[in-house]
Amino acid sequence: MNVLICDDDILISKSLSDYICNKFNYKTFISSNRTDTIDIVKNHNIDLLIIDIILGNDNGIALSKDVKNINPNVQIIFITGYGNTYYNDIFDNINPQGFLEKPIQYNVLNFFIKQIENNYKKKKAKLKISYDFKEYIIPTDKIFYIQSSKRICEIITESETFRCYKKLSEFSEELPDFFIRCHQSYIVNINYVKSHEIGQFTLINGIIVPISNSYAKEAKNLYLMNLGG
C-alpha cells in the first residue's frame, strides 16, 4: 500500500513516515504543499492520504477534494490541532477514514490503518469470468457497473467492456460490499458514484445508472454511508 503524508511540519511527516514504514512496511511519500501533493498523486497510485487540515497558507480539506477528483479510491485521514472544529465541513464533502489529533496518538493511527487494510484487501479482490471460450480476471475495484440484458451480463470498466453468461444475482454473492444492486438489471460500484438523484445514480464518467423503486432505499443508504453521511 502506498501512503502519502502531507504536512507543512516536516518533523510530523517524518515521524509518521518512519512509523508506517517500520510498523507496516508500506511505501511512503512526503509532501508539504499543494503542488508536490498533486504531482505525487498524479504519478503514483496512492492508497492512503494523511493530510493536515491547516496546511500553511493552504486548506487541507480543499486539497483532499482535489486529490479525490484525481483518485476517487484514495482513503483519507485528517490531522488536526483544532478538535472537532472542522468536522461538519469535512463530513459534508468527504468520507474520511478518521482524524488524528495533535499530538499524534500512534495507537489511533494503527487502528485506522488496520481498518484501511481490510478495505484494501476487499478492493483488491478479482472477478473471474469466461466468455467465448476465453477466461478473464477483472479487479473488482476497476468495475464501474454491471448490466444485465437477457442472458448476457456486461461488466463495464473505465476502458473495457467484458461479457459473460451469468445471472446478475450470482454477482451479488461474489462482489465486495461496495457494490450495490440498484435495479433489476444493474449492479453499481458505489465508489464511482458522483451523485444521487431520485431514480438514478450519475457516475464519475457521466454514465447514468437507473435506480428502481424496489432497490431505492438500500441504494440511497449505501450511497450516504459512502459519503460519511
Side-chain angles (χ1 to χ4, degrees):
M1 194 157 70
N2 293 328
V3 181
L4 171 57
I5 302 160
C6 183
D7 197 309
D8 57 343
D9 187 330
I10 191 63
L11 293 178
I12 290 177
S13 296
K14 186 67 167 57
S15 178
L16 286 168
S17 176
D18 289 345
Y19 176 83
I20 291 169
C21 287
N22 293 330
K23 178 76 174 179
F24 298 97
N25 198 30
Y26 291 152
K27 185 174 183 179
T28 61
F29 302 83
I30 291 176
S31 65
S32 59
N33 56 66
R34 170 177 289 273
T35 301
D36 290 347
T37 300
I38 295 299
D39 184 62
I40 292 170
V41 171
K42 284 182 176 179
N43 289 284
H44 300 276
N45 185 23
I46 300 300
D47 302 293
L48 169 61
L49 171 66
I50 303 175
I51 184 169
D52 198 346
I53 289 176
I54 304 298
L55 194 61
N57 295 324
D58 208 340
N59 183 317
I61 301 172
L63 179 53
S64 68
K65 292 178 193 175
D66 294 339
V67 169
K68 274 276 194 182
N69 286 334
I70 298 169
N71 180 0
N73 292 319
V74 69
Q75 300 291 306
I76 297 175
I77 296 174
F78 284 105
I79 303 170
T80 176
Y82 299 91
N84 61 3
T85 303
Y86 296 91
Y87 285 16
N88 288 338
D89 185 33
I90 290 170
F91 278 113
D92 282 344
N93 296 280
I94 304 168
N95 179 25
Q97 185 67 35
F99 297 86
L100 287 174
E101 295 193 5
K102 298 177 182 178
I104 303 297
Q105 298 181 45
Y106 286 92
N107 62 321
V108 176
L109 174 62
N110 187 69
F111 172 77
F112 289 147
I113 291 180
K114 288 292 186 183
Q115 285 186 321
I116 291 168
E117 281 183 331
N118 290 334
N119 293 334
Y120 183 79
K121 289 175 182 176
K122 290 180 181 178
K123 288 181 178 180
K124 291 303 175 185
K126 292 179 172 60
L127 185 67
K128 185 177 180 180
I129 63 169
S130 59
Y131 187 70
D132 280 350
F133 305 105
K134 294 181 181 179
E135 288 193 344
Y136 303 91
I137 297 177
I138 311 166
T140 57
D141 65 325
K142 302 299 183 184
I143 299 172
F144 277 49
Y145 65 96
I146 301 174
Q147 178 180 359
S148 174
S149 178
K150 297 182 180 179
R151 296 178 57 243
I152 296 179
C153 282
E154 292 188 337
I155 301 161
I156 315 298
T157 69
E158 184 175 14
S159 57
E160 293 182 84
T161 296
F162 300 89
R163 293 177 176 84
C164 67
Y165 293 104
K166 201 168 187 176
K167 293 180 180 179
L168 205 61
S169 58
E170 294 176 17
F171 285 110
S172 297
E173 299 171 0
E174 298 178 34
L175 293 168
D177 54 13
F178 49 85
F179 283 86
I180 181 71
R181 181 83 174 262
C182 61
H183 189 278
Q184 180 78 14
S185 302
Y186 289 87
I187 294 175
V188 67
N189 184 339
I190 207 72
N191 293 318
Y192 290 112
V193 173
K194 181 180 180 180
S195 64
H196 168 268
E197 298 87 30
I198 295 175
Q200 67 181 47
F201 283 132
T202 302
L203 306 189
I204 60 171
N205 60 357
I207 295 294
I208 303 295
V209 174
I211 302 171
S212 62
N213 290 335
S214 57
Y215 294 98
K217 184 176 180 180
E218 185 179 359
K220 181 180 179 180
N221 286 342
L222 184 57
Y223 171 73
L224 293 175
M225 287 174 60
N226 195 58
L227 287 178

